[in-house]
Amino acid sequence: AQRVTQPEKLLSVFKGAPVELKCNYSYSGSPELFWYVQYSRQRLQLLLRHISRESIKGFTADLNKGETSFHLKKPFAQEEDSAMYYCALSGPSYGQNFVFGPGTRLSVLP
Amino acid sequence: ETGVTQSPTHLIKTRGQQVTLRCSSQSGHNTVSWYQQALGQGPQFIFQYYREEENGRGNFPPRFSGLQFPNYSSELNVNALELDDSALYLCASSLGGALTEAFFGQGTRLTVV
């Protein structure tokens, strides 16, 4: 069965500290992995996807198929990074049906 | 270019009633997906419509049904409402295809009493 787990409900770090939001998945096949973010009073929006291998707002995520993980990292957290982060996977079929994790709330303290 | 809009933003219904939620997809997008997000949880996939046909369904009972119109807007209908149906309902539109970005609406908060 497809499943995404995010072990931390809440993660608090100080401004300038490194951040790692954990995500593990189970999927039989080759999934597409994504991170979505929801800032306060805003809609859910795409942060990054593994296939693009890009860095958005200083965040990166590496797909580790051996550990079935897709952790989100940023070397120096900023206060504006405070938000709800959701890891999601999608199968390679036509259309995007996401399986979302429960989310991690990141709080960056001044 | 307009974004994804959902209506209404909030509503309250009584157990056993029926509800219709609406979604206008982003301009040019032919695929709409619906998600249910219970408090403290991530969104759960309900179903997807592509060019007016259902194109995938999650683990939801048949009393959750949908429709997509020729202009690609969509409706989510829920019959015989239960208290556990209280949640935020999200609509997402995309061009379809596994690598295209999905854009989410702001959601409809449904409360069943």
Side-chain angles (χ1 to χ4, degrees):
Chain A
Q2 302 173 24
R3 192 177 176 197
V4 175
T5 56
Q6 294 178 251
E8 302 131 333
K9 277 188 178 262
L10 173 65
L11 183 64
S12 295
V13 301
F14 285 102
K15 178 182 170 182
V19 172
E20 183 178 46
L21 301 170
K22 291 185 165 50
C23 170
N24 288 89
Y25 67 90
S26 60
Y27 186 83
S28 53
S30 297
E32 306 289 339
L33 272 297
F34 305 80
W35 277 97
Y36 272 80
V37 61
Q38 188 167 28
Y39 300 102
S40 179
R41 295 192 182 88
Q42 294 188 28
R43 58 190 65 193
L44 201 57
Q45 58 186 283
L46 178 67
L47 179 62
L48 54 81
R49 50 191 147 186
H50 91 269
I51 198 162
S52 301
R53 297 186 177 276
E54 55 199 347
S55 172
I56 302 293
K57 299 184 179 182
F59 285 97
T60 59
D62 290 320
L63 178 60
N64 185 323
K65 292 186 179 180
E67 295 182 0
T68 59
S69 68
F70 188 57
H71 302 327
L72 183 69
K73 299 178 184 178
K74 184 170 183 176
F76 308 103
Q78 303 298 316
E79 288 181 69
E80 55 265 30
D81 296 329
S82 295
M84 197 72 188
Y85 291 80
Y86 295 95
C87 182
L89 69 78
S90 174
S93 61
Y94 191 81
Q96 284 192 324
N97 307 331
F98 293 110
V99 176
F100 283 90
T104 297
R105 180 167 297 284
L106 174 64
S107 177
V108 181
L109 308 171
Chain B
E1 182 176 286
T2 58
V4 179
T5 57
Q6 294 185 242
S7 61
T9 52
H10 298 83
L11 76 165
I12 300 173
K13 289 285 188 178
T14 303
R15 190 170 49 180
Q17 284 188 314
Q18 178 267 342
V19 70
T20 297
L21 310 182
R22 295 179 175 83
C23 171
S24 292
S25 58
Q26 186 154 315
S27 177
H29 285 183
N30 56 19
T31 302
V32 172
S33 302
W34 286 92
Y35 293 83
Q36 180 195 67
Q37 186 174 19
L39 205 59
Q41 297 182 25
Q44 271 199 294
F45 174 67
I46 303 175
F47 45 57
Q48 182 184 81
Y49 280 83
Y50 167 67
R51 293 185 178 178
E52 304 178 58
E53 297 284 331
E54 189 177 289
N55 185 42
R57 188 179 182 94
N59 190 25
F60 280 81
R63 59 189 184 83
F64 285 79
S65 64
L67 207 55
Q68 187 179 31
F69 300 98
N71 66 354
Y72 301 134
S73 66
S74 178
E75 285 182 355
L76 164 65
N77 298 290
V78 187
N79 293 322
L81 283 166
E82 300 176 0
L83 297 179
D84 284 348
D85 296 333
S86 296
L88 181 69
Y89 288 84
L90 296 170
C91 165
S93 78
S94 66
L95 274 172
L99 301 180
T100 60
E101 182 174 348
F103 292 84
F104 283 81
Q106 82 283 8
T108 292
R109 171 75 61 190
L110 171 65
T111 302
V112 182
V113 298

